[in-house]
Amino acid sequence: MSPKRSGPLSRETGGTIHRTAEIIQKDGTWAFDGDALRLTPGRDKNVSLLRRELGELVVPLGALAGISFEQGKKGGRLRLRLRDGADPLLHATGGRLTEPHDPYQLLVESDRYGVAEYFTDEVRNALLLDEVPADPVTAYLLPGPAVPLSVSAGDGTASFDGERIRLEWNWKTEDAKAAAGARTLALGDITGVEWQPAAGLENGYVRFTVRNAPTKAPPKYDPNSVELWGFKKDPLMALVAAAVQARLPHPAGATADVPAARPETPSLPVAPAEDDHDALLRRLRELGELHRTGVLTDDEFALAKQAVLKRM
């Protein structure tokens, strides 16, 4: 039988009592400590592969635009709404991640509606007390998926180590596309990435836009795309897209008249794998430089720095 303990808890720091809201369901566990939400996917067989691979997410309060709870006859749903530009996963997927793949939704059993309402009120009150705006942000406040990672789906395999993307083809790849062999794309040559799920009779894809190499070829023939056919592992390609997106310049820094130009200012650094201590220190130095040059506000710098420090 699945655990159902959920409700208000408390913690004490510096002599101050902080109430903690928590809700535990088969679909996952959401906990809120006043500063951030910790979203942990459940172990139920119905939890999607993407959410299990993405793992636990820590969402700073400053990244939230709102929260809602919707009741139904058989079950309800908690939903988080993030500020535009806060999460590279949402940007790379363009809002096309639907339930059950959306990590910002939680299914709630009918006998836990009271706890869900309490949880919603606690988060809303914190947003009001901290005066968190719902405006878009100019830097990512979530780090994106950790690297290295590799996903095989559709007509190929996409791997990303933080600096290079490697695309390898399988026996189902169109001959004209596979003829040139595997491709390695440097992150510095990428100007954009997009993930599109298969829908109806239309296949999906993950596409990398390469500087000075525009193409109108469909993903089936585009050597910088992996075509997706609507199978189980397709959503995992969204993780590759998000990891790349997190390391590209933030879209808010691009000018409207030169869409393909790469801004001089580097993007908000993202913490890599937890065991790479030197890389984490470099990220902190880069964050400090972005703050000094005015790219990051005081609040954005504090939130991003906190996220990196937690990885250390």
Side-chain angles (χ1 to χ4, degrees):
M1 186 172 180
S2 62
K4 289 190 176 182
R5 178 181 60 82
S6 52
L9 307 172
S10 64
R11 62 185 175 87
E12 182 174 353
T13 57
T16 302
I17 300 296
H18 301 267
R19 291 179 67 80
T20 300
E22 183 181 61
I23 179 166
I24 301 175
Q25 296 288 270
K26 291 187 295 183
D27 195 40
T29 298
W30 284 14
F32 176 56
D33 63 6
D35 297 319
L37 289 95
R38 190 175 297 273
L39 316 180
T40 306
R43 297 182 180 181
D44 187 75
K45 64 180 181 179
N46 293 322
V47 175
S48 76
L49 184 59
L50 181 144
R51 287 179 58 205
R52 292 201 299 267
E53 289 294 325
L54 186 60
E56 185 177 83
L57 288 177
V58 178
V59 183
L61 183 65
L64 283 185
I67 182 173
S68 64
F69 174 55
E70 305 161 3
Q71 295 188 19
K73 292 182 178 180
K74 295 184 178 180
R77 192 184 304 274
L78 275 169
R79 296 179 189 267
L80 294 181
R81 182 166 59 88
L82 272 62
R83 297 169 66 184
D84 289 345
D87 182 17
L89 175 63
L90 293 182
H91 183 80
T93 57
R96 292 180 289 269
L97 272 181
T98 58
E99 196 279 326
H101 308 299
D102 185 351
Y104 302 115
Q105 298 186 34
L106 181 72
L107 298 179
V108 178
E109 297 167 41
S110 58
D111 61 349
R112 287 297 178 269
Y113 281 1
V115 177
E117 290 171 346
Y118 169 81
F119 188 94
T120 301
D121 288 343
E122 287 293 292
V123 175
R124 285 176 176 168
N125 290 339
L127 289 171
L128 290 173
L129 289 173
D130 284 19
E131 298 181 340
V132 177
D135 301 341
V137 297
T138 57
Y140 293 122
L141 301 182
L142 279 82
V147 294
L149 57 84
S150 181
V151 175
S152 297
D155 68 351
T157 298
S159 305
F160 181 52
D161 63 4
E163 298 293 337
R164 291 168 298 277
I165 302 155
R166 184 169 176 81
L167 302 177
E168 300 174 271
W169 314 116
N170 57 39
W171 64 273
K172 295 170 283 188
T173 309
E174 182 69 27
D175 290 344
K177 180 175 174 178
R183 292 179 64 79
T184 299
L185 306 173
L187 182 63
D189 293 330
I190 303 299
T191 61
V193 58
E194 180 187 10
W195 174 84
Q196 175 77 47
L201 299 177
E202 295 293 326
N203 290 338
Y205 58 84
V206 59
R207 186 195 299 273
F208 302 96
T209 304
V210 180
R211 188 189 312 279
N212 300 324
T215 179
K216 294 184 179 179
K220 182 177 182 178
Y221 302 103
D222 181 7
N224 298 322
S225 300
V226 175
E227 187 179 36
L228 305 174
W229 301 318
F231 297 139
K232 183 178 180 180
K233 290 189 176 181
D234 283 11
L236 294 181
M237 279 293 180
L239 300 182
V240 179
V244 173
Q245 183 67 57
R247 290 158 177 81
L248 295 177
H250 193 276
T255 56
D257 55 339
V258 190
R262 193 184 182 96
E264 293 297 326
T265 305
S267 63
L268 173 66
V270 178
E274 293 182 2
D275 59 349
D276 194 345
H277 190 266
D278 291 341
L280 287 167
L281 292 176
R282 288 196 299 272
R283 302 300 187 194
L284 288 174
R285 287 194 292 270
E286 292 169 354
L287 277 173
E289 182 61 25
L290 290 173
H291 183 231
R292 284 191 294 273
T293 57
V295 175
L296 297 179
T297 66
D298 291 345
D299 290 340
E300 290 170 341
F301 171 68
L303 288 169
K305 179 181 177 182
Q306 182 184 32
V308 175
L309 289 174
K310 285 182 178 179
R311 299 294 294 274
M312 298 180 70

